[in-house]
Amino acid sequence: MSLQEKLDAFKADFQAGKPPYNVPRSVIETMHRATAELIASGAAGRALKAGDKAPAFTLNDPDGKAVSSTALLAEGPLVVSFYRGVWCPYCNMELQALQAALPTFQSLGANLLAISPQTAPNSRKSVRQNALDFPILSDPRNDVAAAFGLRFELPDYLVELYKGLKNDLPAFNGDPSWTLPMPARFVIGQDGTILYAEVNPDYTRRPEPEDMLPALRSASRSAVV
């Protein structure tokens, strides 16, 4: 089963109000409204694209160790996934799919990392829950996400919904701003050029890990040359 098939199956059960979520229809409709408005805003079209230069960044892993994109790019191409947080089931399924693809990425000389705005304890939970062998980095205030054009502010009505669901983003993220990144995936070449970019304002849609392989193979061939 592909990643998107797994996401679609989860979404169908969630929207049907099946246990353990038992979500009322009004909640689903509010989430649909927020997603539709984000799509209509054109925000995804303003994010960085293939051919753009990726901003350099240094962020901490869950143990407080600084991880530099510049240092990783000195080793080979870099796969970067931006995700919302450990509280998002769609994100967790994506992280698991990336973990399964990690040996293939490594065989092409690439490093993989994921970035979310959550605090270090929640990143450690992401690692444990999804059995990850690649770095999970904390992006305070979504500043790096903003540099990639991904940060957006939740509308007031969605903030109220999240509060009602006990989905306390300020607590998860250690930041009162109620911002998130649009889920996104990038392949960055060793010269800092973005070779692949996928940004989706609909958080239930994620690209397959293998979608990045042509860009990674191209980057690998260029490195050899």
Side-chain angles (χ1 to χ4, degrees):
M1 186 181 292
S2 71
L3 170 59
Q4 192 58 55
E5 287 170 339
K6 292 177 182 176
L7 298 177
D8 289 343
F10 172 84
K11 182 178 180 180
D13 287 347
F14 181 80
Q15 295 191 350
K18 293 184 178 180
Y21 296 97
N22 304 310
V23 178
R25 190 64 202 172
S26 60
V27 169
I28 302 300
E29 290 171 353
T30 299
M31 291 177 172
H32 283 174
R33 173 189 172 190
T35 298
E37 289 178 357
L38 185 57
I39 293 170
S41 75
R46 296 187 288 275
L48 295 185
K49 301 173 179 63
D52 292 336
K53 284 289 184 179
F57 58 85
T58 300
L59 295 172
N60 288 340
D61 71 9
D63 298 321
K65 176 187 174 184
V67 177
S68 161
S69 63
T70 301
L72 291 176
L73 286 170
E75 301 174 2
L78 183 59
V79 177
V80 181
S81 177
F82 287 87
Y83 73 107
R84 305 189 321 153
V86 69
W87 52 271
C88 171
Y90 298 93
C91 297
N92 290 322
M93 284 186 272
E94 179 184 22
L95 291 174
Q96 292 163 22
L98 289 171
Q99 173 64 35
L102 180 59
T104 302
F105 298 158
Q106 292 173 332
S107 73
L108 294 169
N111 283 299
L112 165 66
L113 58 82
I115 298 173
S116 85
Q118 67 194 4
T119 61
N122 286 308
S123 289
R124 285 194 288 272
K125 186 177 179 181
S126 277
V127 172
R128 289 194 309 271
Q129 184 171 300
N130 299 297
L132 304 180
D133 295 319
F134 57 89
I136 297 291
L137 307 183
S138 293
D139 179 19
R141 300 172 301 281
N142 282 296
D143 287 341
V144 173
F148 278 80
L150 306 174
R151 183 173 64 190
F152 71 97
E153 187 172 348
L154 274 65
D156 290 344
Y157 66 84
L158 190 59
V159 170
E160 292 307 310
L161 174 66
Y162 274 29
K163 288 178 178 177
L165 296 174
K166 310 298 184 191
N167 194 7
D168 187 352
L169 292 190
F172 276 114
N173 299 342
D175 167 31
S177 69
W178 287 95
T179 64
L180 285 174
M182 288 180 286
R185 197 94 56 75
F186 297 93
V187 173
I188 305 171
Q190 288 192 264
D191 65 352
T193 301
I194 296 173
L195 306 176
Y196 169 98
E198 173 68 28
V199 180
N200 203 320
D202 181 351
Y203 61 87
T204 70
R205 307 289 304 175
R206 309 291 171 105
E208 301 298 324
E210 54 265 30
D211 292 351
M212 296 180 290
L213 295 183
L216 286 172
R217 291 187 180 112
S218 176
S220 180
R221 286 194 297 269
S222 297
V224 171
V225 173

